[in-house]
Amino acid sequence: MKIAVVGGGASGLMAAYQAAAAGAEVVILERNKEVGKKILATGNGRCNLTNIFRPDDAYRGSHPEFVRSALENFSVDDTLRFFENQGLLLKDKNGYIYPRSGQAQTVRDFLLTCCKQVGVTIEYERNICNARKSKEGFLLTTEDSHTITCDKLILAGGGKAAPKTGSDGSIYHIAKKFGHTIIEPLPALTGIHIEKKSAIFLKKACGVRCDGKISICCDGMQIASDMGELQLTDYGISGIPAFQVSRYAAKAVYSKKEAKVVLDFLPDISIEKLQQLFDDKLKNVPNNTLEDWLSGMLHTKLIAGILSYTCIPGWLYLHKLKVSEKEMLFAAIKQLTFAITGTEGFDKAQVTAGGVDTLEVSADTMESGYVPGLYFCGELLDIDGACGGYNLQWAWSSGFVAGRSAVTKHVT
């Protein structure tokens, strides 16, 4: 049996290895001059290849339950055993798993070596422009008019995020040719842009890194939130918590819904507690200025941004603060709200939200529900993970299932 894997990223390498290890003749068709370019960029070059813990919202998509079967068939424990049994040493950093070398290249090179050991052939600079099903199997055509035939076909060409690594969404048209629906691809795990009205705040607070909570509200209802170190930028909000909720922001804006971001710079302190802290300060040091009081809680530049936004002078004595000004100040600290205008683009995104509709794919085998012998894996599917190794785990799990199923499942 000959199997062609289109795309030599994380899921494609895993699928190719598993299929070849199960006895198939496997060729990877890679459009770049090297495989696994996106792996090299993961985890800031350190490759967070999986995570011991899995929160309920670790995986997202139109049907996030789709991941369940694949993750059971090739779990985190299976992932750890696979890499360690093959000789890759790992380290656990609070549940985040990295190669002991601290280099993403180690993981890429390791997978490449594994594939070569089981006889996987790799053809570089093979950009597939057309594919069709025939009685004999599949016929693929490249941009340079090269033709490839195979019995089974695994599409692992990724999404649209990080196009410089080769993931530019060009694989979607092949899936469409086979009748599959593409859920609109949008940037995820990226920064969030906010309205121009925020300019006065961002001008003062740009560059600040601070602990806080970020929430996304859509048509007046909170749909996502996360806590951690926020980063205020010239365009809006960045940092891991913003990345975690960015796919919801992108979806809301794309759907033309009223999307807002709400920032809480003191998430562990309620408004009632903040009121008490203010009253205590007013009682003990009545001649303190507003800026003096805030300096004990917030970053200096963040204070400047909040005061500029509220138009309340920092030199104002606490006892001179009006009730309305105090309410405005507390709201700016606990519920600073801006309209969302979009997110950073695919060039800055770490992953794609959207892709091949999972309703049209078997969760147990990754096989197309329309075309027998056609399989999908990785980011090409409408599944995206949170930060923390979840997207790579999805690549390993879905790649494992696609590769093994392509060998063992008989085409009818």
Side-chain angles (χ1 to χ4, degrees), residues 5 286 344 400:
V5 180
E344 288 280 78
F400 172 89

Side-chain angles (χ1 to χ4, degrees), residues 68-104:
R68 189 178 301 123
S69 180
L71 293 176
E72 288 174 354
N73 276 289
F74 196 74
S75 66
V76 172
D77 287 341
D78 292 325
T79 298
L80 299 180
R81 278 192 293 270
F82 169 77
F83 284 110
E84 290 177 334
N85 289 346
Q86 296 289 342
L88 184 71
L89 294 181
L90 306 174
K91 62 181 178 182
D92 181 342
K93 188 175 180 182
N94 300 319
Y96 295 74
I97 306 300
Y98 297 88
R100 189 168 288 276
S101 67
Q103 291 183 296

Side-chain angles (χ1 to χ4, degrees), residues 57-380:
D57 65 342
Y59 292 99
R60 299 86 177 264
S62 301
H63 303 281
E65 68 280 1
F66 178 82
V67 306
R68 189 178 301 123
S69 180
L71 293 176
E72 288 174 354
N73 276 289
F74 196 74
S75 66
V76 172
D77 287 341
D78 292 325
T79 298
L80 299 180
R81 278 192 293 270
F82 169 77
F83 284 110
E84 290 177 334
N85 289 346
Q86 296 289 342
L88 184 71
L89 294 181
L90 306 174
K91 62 181 178 182
D92 181 342
K93 188 175 180 182
N94 300 319
Y96 295 74
I97 306 300
Y98 297 88
R100 189 168 288 276
S101 67
Q103 291 183 296
Q105 183 173 337
T106 303
V107 177
R108 192 279 303 270
D109 292 350
F110 167 82
L111 288 166
L112 188 56
T113 299
C114 287
C115 284
K116 288 180 178 178
Q117 287 174 344
V118 292
V120 174
T121 301
I122 302 176
E123 295 188 15
Y124 296 97
E125 298 184 272
R126 293 295 192 196
N127 194 12
I128 305 301
C129 63
N130 198 9
R132 63 182 177 86
K133 183 79 184 287
S134 65
K135 289 183 179 180
E136 293 74 30
F138 294 88
L139 178 64
L140 313 180
T141 308
T142 66
E143 276 187 348
D144 55 0
S145 300
H146 185 78
T147 58
I148 298 125
T149 58
C150 57
D151 302 302
K152 303 282 188 71
L153 175 61
I154 300 175
L155 297 183
K160 295 184 72 174
K164 289 181 180 179
T165 65
S167 298
D168 63 356
S170 57
I171 194 69
Y172 292 136
H173 82 281
I174 300 297
K176 286 181 179 179
K177 280 182 177 291
F178 287 115
H180 282 274
T181 304
I182 304 299
I183 305 299
E184 183 66 27
L186 297 168
L189 300 188
T190 191
I192 298 172
H193 288 239
I194 55 180
E195 60 184 324
K196 291 182 179 179
K197 152 182 172 179
S198 65
I200 189 169
F201 168 75
L202 291 178
K203 183 177 180 181
K204 296 287 185 179
C206 182
V208 168
R209 292 176 181 267
C210 61
D211 288 338
K213 178 180 179 181
I214 180 171
S215 301
I216 304 298
C217 293
C218 184
D219 289 344
M221 294 184 63
Q222 180 178 303
I223 58 173
S225 67
D226 201 72
M227 291 174 60
E229 187 181 75
L230 300 173
Q231 183 177 351
L232 305 179
T233 72
D234 57 353
Y235 63 78
I237 319 298
S238 186
I240 297 299
F243 285 10
Q244 300 286 41
V245 300
S246 60
R247 57 116 47 223
Y248 300 101
K251 289 276 187 182
V253 171
Y254 174 76
S255 301
K256 300 189 184 304
K257 295 181 179 179
E258 184 184 45
K260 293 187 177 182
V261 61
V262 181
L263 303 175
D264 183 349
F265 297 110
L266 293 174
D268 56 335
I269 297 176
S270 66
I271 285 187
E272 291 75 21
K273 179 62 176 177
L274 193 60
Q275 174 70 64
Q276 183 183 332
L277 291 173
F278 180 89
D279 292 342
D280 289 345
K281 193 70 171 181
L282 181 59
K283 179 180 178 181
N284 296 327
V285 193
N287 289 326
N288 248 197
T289 65
L290 183 55
E291 201 165 42
D292 290 334
W293 177 60
L294 292 173
S295 65
M297 298 183 289
L298 301 172
H299 190 287
T300 304
K301 290 181 68 176
L302 179 56
I303 293 171
I306 288 173
L307 293 177
S308 294
Y309 176 80
T310 59
C311 297
I312 303 173
W315 47 259
L316 198 66
Y317 290 117
L318 296 184
H319 67 272
K320 294 286 189 180
L321 206 63
K322 298 175 183 176
V323 172
S324 60
E325 290 175 325
K326 189 168 61 173
E327 290 176 349
M328 189 188 305
L329 178 67
F330 289 0
I333 295 172
K334 295 287 296 173
Q335 298 173 334
L336 188 60
T337 303
F338 295 111
I340 298 171
T341 58
T343 64
E344 288 280 78
F346 282 112
D347 57 329
K348 298 288 182 66
Q350 293 181 19
V351 73
T352 305
V356 173
D357 190 344
T358 52
L359 287 178
E360 303 169 351
V361 179
S362 167
D364 295 326
T365 64
M366 298 293 139
E367 187 177 23
S368 164
Y370 300 146
V371 183
L374 173 65
Y375 297 81
F376 301 93
C377 58
E379 193 178 337
L380 176 58

